[in-house]
Amino acid sequence: MAENGHVLVVDDEPQLLRALRINLRARGFEVTTAANGAQALDAASKHMPDVVVLDLGLPDMDGFTVLAGLRGWTAVPVIVLSARTDAADKVQALDAGADDYVTKPFGMEEFLARLRAAIRRGSSSGTPSETPVVHAGALEVDLVGKRVLRDGAPVRLTPTEWGVLELLVRAEPNLVSQREVLTAVWGPTYVNQTNYLRVYLAALRRKLEADPSNPQHLITEAGMGYRFVR
């Protein structure tokens, strides 16, 4: 029985699949593997993993297509594992709904730390709040139920998008620095990854703001950080 969660690993390198399966199982994870995109989408729907580790270079379809297929119905955390090191690929993956991006080759301990962090973001339960439901214009943010309504309709957020939003809402009306957001949501090794914040704040504004180019609730204070305003 899995002690730490169920991981779906998607990669077309047999040696890497075997190495990850052995290492993850030895550390108490249940592991399902897939060697191409079709197998990945099928396995995700059948096994409902706690996190997906996804290679971008698959033989039958691009990893971005797999990611889009997953995001069409599930908010499961997705860690992209790729040999592509170009910043544009990283930003594209994060903007498409990935929660993290790890480049090959990678250190196993750091990878495991990122894996555990992704699972925590995806499965952590809400903490009771004095104001569990926050109303901000057309938005309704349920901090306990971990859901958002806009004009009464549910808005689907990824676990990482929710993590950023929850942090800012709970901090209201205080400013949250870039370093604080990165440390709280991604971990202390991410304090210089400000591109993550740009991507995720843009995604949140597209989903939540009436006019994303002129946000009323998710405010950027240049060079300082972010603030949630009702």
Side-chain angles (χ1 to χ4, degrees), residues 15-27:
Q15 297 91 339
L16 181 60
L17 283 182
R18 182 175 182 274
L20 286 177
R21 183 168 57 243
I22 292 171
N23 277 278
L24 292 174
R25 285 179 176 170
R27 289 165 171 82

Side-chain angles (χ1 to χ4, degrees), residues 60-182:
D60 60 337
M61 65 180 77
D62 192 276
F64 290 110
T65 303
V66 178
L67 182 56
L70 291 171
R71 284 293 171 256
W73 63 275
T74 179
V76 62
V78 176
I79 299 176
V80 168
L81 187 63
S82 177
R84 304 181 191 179
T85 59
D86 190 271
D89 287 316
K90 296 180 181 180
V91 172
Q92 183 182 356
L94 295 170
D95 205 16
D99 294 86
D100 201 352
Y101 194 107
V102 178
T103 55
K104 301 175 183 177
F106 56 90
M108 184 58 67
E109 293 306 318
E110 179 184 355
F111 171 73
L112 289 168
R114 294 189 182 202
L115 190 70
R116 290 190 293 266
I119 292 175
R120 285 197 301 272
R121 290 196 296 268
S123 63
S124 59
S125 59
T127 302
S129 168
E130 291 181 1
T131 310
V133 179
V134 175
H135 295 274
L139 299 179
E140 180 180 307
V141 184
D142 184 345
L143 294 171
V144 175
K146 286 188 174 290
R147 64 174 188 152
V148 182
L149 301 180
R150 178 181 171 186
D151 292 320
V155 179
R156 183 179 60 81
L157 301 181
T158 70
T160 303
E161 288 170 349
W162 171 259
V164 173
L165 178 65
E166 181 182 28
L167 180 66
L168 297 181
V169 170
R170 288 189 182 278
E172 187 207 6
N174 299 317
L175 177 76
V176 184
S177 71
Q178 293 180 342
R179 177 179 290 268
E180 288 173 327
V181 179
L182 288 164

Side-chain angles (χ1 to χ4, degrees), residues 168-220:
L168 297 181
V169 170
R170 288 189 182 278
E172 187 207 6
N174 299 317
L175 177 76
V176 184
S177 71
Q178 293 180 342
R179 177 179 290 268
E180 288 173 327
V181 179
L182 288 164
T183 300
V185 178
W186 283 275
T189 61
Y190 288 77
V191 293
N192 295 317
Q193 301 294 331
T194 54
N195 60 309
Y196 280 32
L197 296 179
R198 184 179 69 254
V199 168
Y200 277 95
L201 263 296
L204 282 170
R205 285 171 179 143
R206 285 196 297 271
K207 293 180 178 182
L208 303 180
E209 297 278 5
D211 181 2
S213 63
N214 183 32
Q216 302 300 306
H217 306 297
L218 297 167
I219 308 301
T220 298

